[in-house]
Amino acid sequence: MLMGAGDRMGKRMKEISIRQIKDYFKGISEDYEIYGNLDDRITGFSPFGTYKPGTVTWIKNMEKYREFSSTGKMADPVFIIIDKEVEKASNYANRLVCSNPKYAFALLLKEFFECKNDFGIGKGSIVSKDACLEDGISIGCNCLIEDGVTIGRGTKIYHNVVIREGTVIGRDCVVKSNTVI
């Protein structure tokens, strides 16, 4: 399930920077070139034809670019994914240029806007029966959660973590591997 622009069911959209997008694509392939202000922020995604301000969008190819150009409804997106042919004809400041914009857009959505439900308790973890675990938490492998621990909703605890007696961890926190609290 993906979350688009704006609020969905009372949840605030995840905000990402163009720098985060650049770092992600840098690890994938040399085919992706990113230009613009790396500190600009994106708050969702939308189709180019019904662009919503502050979101990332994409244009499939030059034919689609010409189609949108002829309507006079050209969006000025904060970040757009285009191919090299569209780049030559346009002047978008913040852009990702690649050979397959549709695929790059799908990768970006999967990485940054997909709701991931990886809840549960990993193999080898021990959780005290006197610990209070709220809904939607994830505990990695080989963790120890002692008596009187409270872990808030949506918290993710990575592998090999020890949380000592009486500790309280809030909502939507992240505890990295090999941490002792």
Side-chain angles (χ1 to χ4, degrees):
M1 181 164 107
L2 297 172
M3 292 171 43
D7 290 346
R8 300 280 179 175
M9 295 182 280
K11 295 181 181 177
R12 185 166 163 77
M13 277 303 301
K14 178 178 183 179
E15 186 176 276
I16 61 171
S17 69
I18 294 173
R19 183 178 316 282
Q20 287 173 279
I21 295 170
K22 183 175 185 173
D23 290 344
Y24 170 70
F25 279 99
K26 184 171 42 175
I28 294 177
S29 168
E30 300 285 323
D31 179 47
Y32 303 100
E33 299 173 37
I34 296 182
Y35 304 94
N37 182 349
L38 299 181
D39 295 323
D40 280 356
R41 311 294 291 177
I42 296 165
T43 58
F45 59 92
S46 62
F48 189 78
T50 56
Y51 180 74
K52 292 182 177 62
T55 63
V56 60
T57 192
W58 66 287
I59 298 177
K60 181 177 181 179
N61 54 33
M62 191 61 176
E63 180 182 329
K64 286 290 183 187
Y65 178 75
R66 285 189 189 116
E67 182 182 314
F68 287 120
S69 295
S70 68
T71 66
K73 297 180 181 177
M74 291 294 284
D76 186 20
V78 69
F79 189 73
I80 189 164
I81 302 173
I82 54 178
D83 67 13
K84 291 181 186 207
E85 192 176 4
V86 172
E87 181 188 31
K88 291 175 188 172
S90 65
N91 61 351
Y92 298 112
N94 295 331
R95 64 197 182 279
L96 183 153
V97 181
C98 62
S99 60
N100 189 342
K102 182 178 181 179
Y103 180 66
F105 188 71
L107 288 174
L108 185 139
L109 294 185
K110 184 170 177 36
E111 178 64 18
F112 295 103
F113 297 103
E114 183 175 56
C115 296
K116 298 174 181 156
N117 296 322
D118 53 348
F119 312 129
I121 300 173
K123 186 177 179 178
S125 289
I126 300 169
V127 178
S128 167
K129 62 181 169 85
D130 295 322
C132 177
L133 309 179
E134 291 185 10
D135 293 334
I137 68 164
S138 173
I139 298 174
C141 298
N142 304 312
C143 294
L144 174 63
I145 313 297
E146 294 186 347
D147 293 340
V149 168
T150 300
I151 301 174
R153 179 188 341 226
T155 292
K156 181 169 179 84
I157 298 169
Y158 285 81
H159 308 297
N160 304 310
V161 170
V162 175
I163 302 178
R164 304 296 308 260
E165 186 174 344
T167 302
V168 176
I169 298 175
R171 291 182 170 194
D172 300 313
C173 295
V174 175
V175 180
K176 294 290 189 166
S177 294
N178 301 313
T179 300
V180 176
I181 301 175

